[in-house]
Amino acid sequence: MAARMLDGAVEPPRLKLSKEGEAAAELKINETRKRNGGSTEWTPSSWTTKPIKQDVIYEDRAAVNKALAKLERLPPIVTPTEIIRLRNSLRDVALGKAFLLQGGDCAELFNYCEDNAIDSKIKLLLQMSLVLIYGAYKPVVRIARMAGQYAKPRSSPTEIYEGIEIPSFRGDILNGYDVDERTPDPARLVSAYFHSATTLNYIRASLASGIADLHAPLEWELGHVKDEKIKAQYTRIVDNITDSLRFMKTVGADSPSSGLESVDLYTSHEGLLLEYEQSLTRRLRHPPTHPSLQNPSTLPTSQPNGHPNPNPTPSPDNKGWYNTSAHFLWIGDRTRQLSGAHVEYFRGLENPIGIKVGPTMTSPELISLLDILNPTKSIGRITLITRYGENKIASLLPSHIRAVRDSGHIVVWQCDPMHGNTTSTPSGVKTRQFSSILSEVGSALRIHKEEGSFLGGVHLELTGDAVTECVGGSEGLTEGDLGVNYTTFCDPRLNEKQALELAFLVAGHYREEGRR
């Protein structure tokens, strides 16, 4: 188990490039500047003129260019129609009409591209969403951290392994976890595309074949719950859901047109490796549901917060720049620099995007990010994924809510209770305490209510497998249990029972609020 925790406490010096590597990096930047003609206008490659964090330098630049050229010829993985459908659904979330559930692996591996692994995550997200629908009385928008979450930011590009400095594992899209596979390999760029496309193809086929059909029996598996009071609460919720479905079937409200047979499930990943993302960015025709194509006379003149309601101006060719690698992408806490490459790249996309908001984010910086990334203040465009930690959320979230409200932006507020609550055992194994995760979600719900706002969703690292990576929960997992099935290659994830338990507890909160 300890061998998996290579991102330990030792902070080695940054990896120094060879003269050849430095020359290759400078050549890449100069080539792109030349293509752009020095223009300050946005293009899919204008990010290369900006300083970049978490970049990667390959030994063989010719092989990289060959891989990128291949990616540019391959068909889109997702379509503008799907992307705008999600963007419009997130508008409902931002306005309090729906709830956002986003979850999946911390670091998705190519090996996870197999039916059992995919099925388990789909079923878990579907069960969690059903519980949340029951609790919040709202539709649930489902986004999986799947079919592309292959790159991971690291605190250092190198680490110490058995006394030797080696490159850090940065995700299957760049290098392998095994020590002898740590050199970045350009062929993995193309492999990431095909694993993403294959995963999404199987997801679509499974949904079309009835994996989400609510007529099928629900196996809630509550035997793991040791606390009798909690178990009784969960059993009551499951019985109510089952009775509701039975009633709908009796009165004929579950006809084929009722939507109980299938659901929308969107894909997402952190947009970290910009060369890959650029290669899958295409100028495509807007679907009729794009915000710029809506009749202005049918839109309200002001937003719910009283600010004017901007109407995006349609492009002359009725097209826009779509990242076709996923429906939803986010900017990480390490790459959100206002003048940096990632913000520059993201500002030109039509996709809905997320911004990780951590303890170091100031309110002025947050508003500047929103102004850059969403100058038209389009509702549904931006999701703010807050990740403070249970001990910091009370001092940070209220001021951020007020600043965003005063700015006129309307965003999706989403709580990521995972990343701010990571700890290590005395032996150096990374874990998360379930009570801390639950505490941050509970604080987010309370603070939003106090501020006249509302929590729009949760963002979780989870798996459908019976892993033992986070301690606590109704199973009573302890640090001594971590070695039973600790399989993550990066950060600890909730297992299927802990994730479902969290959904039950959030649903219970909404149920109690509804009775008041």
Side-chain angles (χ1 to χ4, degrees):
M1 177 178 66
R4 295 191 181 280
M5 308 316 300
L6 297 183
D7 192 26
V10 179
E11 184 75 13
R14 291 187 63 83
L15 184 65
K16 295 182 179 179
L17 299 177
S18 64
K19 291 183 178 180
E20 292 78 8
E22 291 176 347
E26 186 65 25
L27 178 62
K28 179 179 71 172
I29 293 174
N30 289 337
E31 286 177 348
T32 306
R33 284 174 176 164
K34 190 180 297 183
R35 288 198 301 271
N36 291 344
S39 172
T40 59
E41 292 297 317
W42 189 90
T43 69
S45 61
S46 59
W47 62 269
T48 57
T49 65
K50 305 286 185 179
I52 188 170
K53 300 288 186 180
Q54 299 289 322
D55 198 16
V56 58
I57 301 300
Y58 295 91
E59 294 180 353
D60 186 350
R61 191 65 209 173
V64 176
N65 293 336
K66 182 178 180 180
L68 297 177
K70 173 69 173 178
L71 290 171
E72 290 174 357
R73 295 193 302 271
L74 291 169
I77 297 176
V78 301
T79 68
T81 297
E82 295 170 330
I83 291 169
I84 298 304
R85 185 188 304 137
L86 172 59
R87 183 165 163 176
N88 290 336
S89 293
L90 290 175
R91 185 181 194 277
D92 288 340
V93 176
L95 296 175
K97 300 176 182 179
F99 192 86
L100 172 59
L101 171 63
Q102 187 170 5
D105 286 296
C106 167
E108 189 180 8
L109 302 182
F110 292 163
N111 284 342
Y112 295 169
C113 185
E114 56 96 12
D115 54 352
N116 290 328
I118 297 171
D119 284 344
S120 65
K121 294 185 186 74
I122 295 176
K123 291 177 180 177
L124 177 57
L125 289 172
L126 292 175
Q127 280 194 329
M128 293 177 69
S129 64
L130 184 58
V131 172
L132 291 169
I133 290 170
Y134 166 83
Y137 288 109
K138 294 177 182 179
V140 170
V141 179
R142 307 161 187 86
I143 304 179
R145 288 172 58 114
M146 262 172 99
Q149 179 56 10
Y150 298 123
K152 287 298 296 181
R154 303 314 293 259
S155 57
S156 173
T158 64
E159 57 190 326
I160 301 300
Y161 177 70
E162 295 183 351
I164 302 174
E165 184 180 27
I166 63 172
S168 298
F169 172 59
R170 300 176 65 181
D172 269 358
I173 194 172
L174 291 176
N175 57 0
Y177 183 80
D178 292 342
V179 173
D180 58 355
E181 295 180 346
R182 292 301 181 90
T183 300
D185 180 2
R188 288 177 173 268
L189 296 168
V190 177
S191 186
Y193 170 93
F194 283 109
H195 281 89
S196 296
T198 302
T199 299
L200 184 53
N201 178 67
Y202 182 75
I203 291 173
R204 287 179 170 136
S206 296
L207 292 174
S209 300
I211 193 175
D213 190 348
L214 294 184
H215 297 96
L218 298 175
E219 297 179 2
W220 295 100
E221 298 178 353
L222 298 179
H224 68 281
V225 181
K226 296 180 179 179
D227 188 304
E228 290 301 322
K229 183 178 178 181
I230 294 177
K231 186 172 183 177
Q233 177 187 359
Y234 294 170
T235 301
R236 185 168 59 252
I237 292 176
V238 171
D239 289 344
N240 287 338
I241 292 174
T242 304
D243 287 345
S244 297
L245 293 173
R246 190 180 298 118
F247 173 78
M248 293 177 68
K249 182 177 182 179
T250 301
V251 300
D254 64 343
S255 63
S257 61
S258 64
L260 295 182
E261 289 79 16
S262 188
V263 298
D264 288 325
L265 181 62
Y266 301 98
T267 62
S268 67
H269 62 260
E270 180 176 354
L272 186 64
L273 194 59
L274 294 184
E275 286 186 309
Y276 177 83
E277 305 300 345
Q278 175 189 329
S279 298
L280 291 169
T281 302
R282 313 288 165 78
R283 188 159 183 84
L284 301 171
R285 185 169 297 278
H286 294 315
T289 52
H290 188 276
S292 69
L293 301 180
Q294 304 307 298
N295 186 346
S297 64
T298 64
L299 298 175
T301 57
S302 64
Q303 300 183 57
N305 56 9
H307 290 266
N309 194 6
N311 186 35
T313 303
S315 57
D317 60 357
N318 195 26
K319 293 182 178 180
W321 289 103
Y322 290 86
N323 181 306
T324 65
S325 70
H327 302 104
F328 179 97
L329 299 98
W330 70 87
I331 304 173
D333 201 40
R334 292 185 176 98
T335 54
R336 54 173 171 75
Q337 296 77 23
L338 292 174
S339 59
H342 288 80
V343 171
E344 169 64 21
Y345 170 75
F346 271 73
R347 76 179 178 91
L349 300 179
E350 296 288 344
N351 304 60
I353 60 176
I355 305 170
K356 285 292 186 84
V357 180
T360 61
M361 177 81 81
T362 65
S363 292
E365 180 186 9
L366 176 56
I367 302 309
S368 294
L369 274 170
L370 292 175
D371 289 341
I372 293 170
L373 294 169
N374 191 23
T376 63
K377 298 183 178 178
S378 176
I379 305 174
R381 158 77 169 158
I382 302 291
T383 295
L384 295 182
I385 311 167
T386 60
R387 42 155 296 176
Y388 305 110
E390 65 168 332
N391 296 323
K392 297 180 180 180
I393 183 172
S395 63
L396 297 170
L397 179 57
S399 59
H400 284 159
I401 293 173
R402 294 168 199 157
V404 172
R405 181 172 57 233
D406 293 344
S407 74
H409 288 277
I410 297 179
V411 302
V412 174
W413 287 101
Q414 186 183 34
C415 177
D416 169 5
M418 309 295 291
H419 286 89
N421 295 303
T422 305
T423 60
S424 294
T425 67
S427 61
V429 179
K430 287 200 291 187
T431 188
R432 288 160 173 158
Q433 175 61 248
F434 183 82
S435 61
S436 298
I437 294 168
L438 180 61
S439 172
E440 183 159 359
V441 174
S443 295
L445 288 163
R446 174 182 55 79
I447 292 168
H448 276 287
K449 182 180 179 182
E450 292 173 351
E451 294 294 331
S453 178
F454 51 86
L455 180 65
V458 290
H459 186 119
L460 306 170
E461 290 184 336
L462 54 80
T463 176
D465 300 326
V467 299
T468 55
E469 297 168 3
C470 294
V471 296
S474 60
E475 291 179 282
L477 293 180
T478 67
E479 291 184 1
D481 297 316
L482 294 178
V484 174
N485 193 25
Y486 196 107
T487 63
T488 183
F489 284 79
C490 193
D491 291 337
R493 303 159 295 176
L494 297 171
N495 63 33
E496 83 285 16
K497 295 173 183 177
Q498 292 168 326
L500 190 57
E501 180 177 354
L502 184 64
F504 275 123
L505 294 171
V506 173
H509 166 87
Y510 280 109
R511 277 274 165 169
E512 290 300 318
E513 286 294 314
R515 294 191 182 102
R516 294 175 185 175

